[in-house]
Amino acid sequence: MSEFQCMAASVKPLAICFQSSHPCFGVKQPLMPTQICYIRSTSLFSVRKKQNGEHSSLLRHLKIKALDAAQPFDNESKESEDFETNHHLKIGIVGFGNYGQFLAKTMVKQGHIVLAHSITDHGEVAQKMGVSFFMDAYEFCEEHPDVILLCSSIISTESVLRSFPTHRLKRNTLFADVLSVKEFPRNLFLQVLTPEFDILCTHPMFGPESGKAGWCGLSFVYEKVRIGKGARAERCYKFLDIFAKEGCRMVEMSCAEHDRYAAESQFITHTVGRMLGKLNLESTPINTKGYETLLQIVENTRADSFDLYYSLFMYNNNATEQLERLEMVFDALKKQLVGQLHQIVRKQLFEGISHGEASQQISAFANVQNSYPSRNSLGDQEITHGRK
C-alpha cells in the first residue's frame, strides 16, 4: 500500500483479527477478517509550531502491521476459488422422475451444478430445486455436463441411450446409471458408447422412502467399468464422493456379482411381498412381530410399480433360477405337510394308535430324517455356499 493510499483514509484500523473461512484438508485458504476495531484520526498530518510562531504540517510516518490476509487480487484467493470450483461437478440427469429428483436434491445441496432432461415437463419442479431443466436433448448436451446420470426406468433405458445425441457431448464425458440391475446397463454402455466415454455402473440400495431421513449407513454399490486416468479418474472420485459424504456404505463389486446377490435378496423380497399382497392380508388385534414385518414387506412392494418388478425378473439372468427354486421349495414344503398328515391318518385307521401317539412317532421319524440331508439338499447347500 502506497503513502498516497494511506493518506486517502481518515479512519484507520487499530486491530484486525483473521480466521480461515474454509479449512479444507491441508489446502491453504484465504484468511477472512472476523473483527475490525477502528479509531478515528483527526489528521494524517502532525502540526508543529516553529520558533517564529508559525505552524507547519508534516506528514506522519504511518506503519501498517497485518497478518497475511488474502485480497481479491491475490493469487491465494484465486487458488481458493479455483479449489471450490474444481470440486463441484456439472451433472446432467436424464430421466427427471421421482428418483432423479430425489438424487438431485442432495447434489444441489452439496453445491454441484445440476441439469435435467426428460420427455415429461418437470420445469416448474426443477426451478424450485435450483435445477436447469431442458426438454430438448440437444440443448441439454450443449451445456457439456461432466457427468451424464441415467435415471430412466430399466425398460426404457436402451431406447433412451440409443436415441441420445452423444455426439453433442464432450468426448470424455462420464456416463453413470442407477438401475437396480447392473449387467444389462454395463453391456449396453459398452455396446453404444465409443471408447472415449467413461463408464461407471452404480446402484444406490435405497430410494425416496428408505432414504428420506438421510443416506447414512445405506449401501451404495458401484463398478468402475471404464475410467480414464488423471483428471478423468478424479472426476469419477468426485461423483462417488457425493454419496460418501452423505455417509453411504460404499461397496465396490462387479456387475455380475451384484446381480447374483440382488436375485437372492431384492427379487425374492419383491416376489414374496407381491404373493402376500395377493392374499389381502390385514392387521389384527393380536399381531406378532413377525406378522407386522410381513405386512411391512407388502407395503414396501406395493409402493413400487409392477414394471420395476418385471424388470428385476426380465433383466437379471439369475432371477429365473430363483423363481424356480422358490416354486420347488413351496411344493416340497406342501408335500411334507400333506405327507405327514396322511401318515397320522393311516396309523389311526390301521394300527389303532391315538392321534397324539401317532404324531409323536412321526415327529421322531422326521427328526431322524432331517439329521441326514438328502443328496438334493446337499447339492443346494453347495450351490448356496458357492455364491457367498
Side-chain angles (χ1 to χ4, degrees):
M1 184 179 291
S2 67
E3 294 180 352
F4 295 100
Q5 288 174 316
C6 293
M7 293 171 59
S10 61
V11 178
K12 62 180 181 179
L14 176 64
I16 304 178
C17 300
F18 292 90
Q19 176 179 317
S20 178
S21 60
H22 299 289
C24 185
F25 304 106
V27 178
K28 194 174 182 182
Q29 298 292 321
L31 297 174
M32 304 299 294
T34 58
Q35 183 179 2
I36 303 177
C37 301
Y38 293 94
I39 60 172
R40 182 170 294 279
S41 175
T42 56
S43 173
L44 291 177
F45 297 87
S46 62
V47 180
R48 290 188 178 181
K49 190 174 182 178
K50 294 182 178 180
Q51 293 180 353
N52 58 7
E54 297 180 357
H55 294 77
S56 65
S57 298
L58 299 176
L59 181 63
R60 291 179 179 177
H61 294 283
L62 301 179
K63 295 182 179 180
I64 298 176
K65 296 181 179 180
L67 296 175
D68 182 20
Q71 301 299 322
F73 49 80
D74 289 343
N75 288 334
E76 187 178 8
S77 177
K78 184 177 184 300
E79 289 176 1
S80 173
E81 291 179 2
D82 292 342
F83 176 82
E84 293 295 332
T85 302
N86 292 336
H87 277 67
H88 292 154
L89 295 171
K90 182 185 286 188
I91 303 171
I93 298 178
V94 178
F96 202 57
N98 291 335
Y99 200 77
Q101 296 171 24
F102 166 67
L103 295 178
K105 290 178 182 178
T106 298
M107 294 174 180
V108 171
K109 182 187 69 174
Q110 291 188 8
H112 299 284
I113 301 172
V114 181
L115 318 172
H117 163 66
S118 183
I119 58 175
T120 305
D121 189 0
H122 296 289
E124 185 175 348
V125 175
Q127 185 176 10
K128 292 179 181 178
M129 295 173 58
V131 175
S132 300
F133 184 79
F134 299 86
M135 289 282 290
D136 187 277
Y138 287 86
E139 293 180 1
F140 172 79
C141 291
E142 287 172 357
E143 293 294 319
H144 295 153
D146 301 309
V147 181
I148 295 292
L149 182 61
L150 287 182
C151 294
S152 54
S153 66
I154 300 175
I155 296 177
S156 64
T157 296
E158 183 171 4
S159 61
V160 168
L161 184 61
R162 291 190 181 279
S163 62
F164 197 71
T166 55
H167 60 281
R168 295 293 185 96
L169 297 169
K170 292 184 294 185
R171 301 307 296 171
N172 64 348
T173 303
L174 171 62
F175 273 78
D177 78 287
V178 291
L179 301 187
S180 299
V181 293
K182 292 271 64 75
E183 282 194 284
F184 166 67
R186 178 186 184 277
N187 296 335
L188 183 64
F189 279 151
L190 292 173
Q191 291 175 9
V192 176
L193 300 177
T194 57
E196 292 82 9
F197 291 109
D198 287 349
I199 300 173
L200 176 68
C201 288
T202 78
H203 183 197
M205 305 295 291
F206 51 88
E209 186 63 29
S210 57
K212 62 183 179 182
W215 302 354
C216 186
L218 302 177
S219 298
F220 182 89
V221 182
Y222 66 95
E223 180 187 358
K224 299 176 183 177
V225 179
R226 187 173 66 202
I227 303 296
K229 299 180 180 180
R232 295 166 67 172
E234 179 66 18
R235 177 183 57 191
C236 178
Y237 168 80
K238 291 175 186 177
F239 179 79
L240 293 174
D241 195 47
I242 294 174
F243 301 90
K245 282 182 178 178
E246 297 300 315
C248 289
R249 189 173 68 90
M250 308 299 287
V251 182
E252 184 172 9
M253 68 169 55
S254 68
C255 292
E257 191 176 10
H258 166 278
D259 283 3
R260 191 163 59 247
Y261 285 127
E264 296 178 354
S265 58
Q266 192 178 22
F267 178 71
I268 289 293
T269 301
H270 277 264
T271 301
V272 172
R274 291 189 174 273
M275 288 172 58
L276 296 176
K278 296 290 185 181
L279 297 176
N280 296 320
L281 301 178
E282 296 181 355
S283 180
T284 70
I286 55 172
N287 285 357
T288 62
K289 290 294 183 181
Y291 185 68
E292 289 180 353
T293 301
L294 293 179
L295 292 178
Q296 187 61 49
I297 293 175
V298 173
E299 190 65 26
N300 291 343
T301 52
R302 280 179 178 173
D304 295 318
S305 65
F306 184 81
D307 284 345
L308 173 61
Y309 176 59
Y310 172 75
S311 299
L312 294 176
F313 170 74
M314 182 67 182
Y315 294 92
N316 189 336
N317 289 330
N318 305 278
T320 302
E321 179 187 352
Q322 292 300 320
L323 192 62
E324 291 175 350
R325 291 183 64 185
L326 187 63
E327 186 177 4
M328 290 172 59
V329 169
F330 181 78
D331 289 340
L333 186 61
K334 183 178 177 181
K335 290 178 181 178
Q336 185 179 358
L337 289 173
V338 175
Q340 185 163 325
L341 177 62
H342 286 175
Q343 292 180 40
I344 293 175
V345 173
R346 289 192 187 98
K347 284 185 174 292
Q348 288 179 321
L349 291 176
F350 301 106
E351 299 181 17
I353 300 176
S354 65
H355 177 81
E357 292 176 343
S359 298
Q360 291 178 0
Q361 292 181 11
I362 293 173
S363 297
F365 177 77
N367 291 333
V368 173
Q369 292 295 317
N370 291 334
S371 64
Y372 297 96
S374 63
R375 180 176 299 179
N376 289 337
S377 62
L378 285 173
D380 291 342
Q381 288 178 4
E382 291 175 359
I383 293 173
T384 303
H385 291 310
R387 289 175 177 169
K388 291 183 179 179

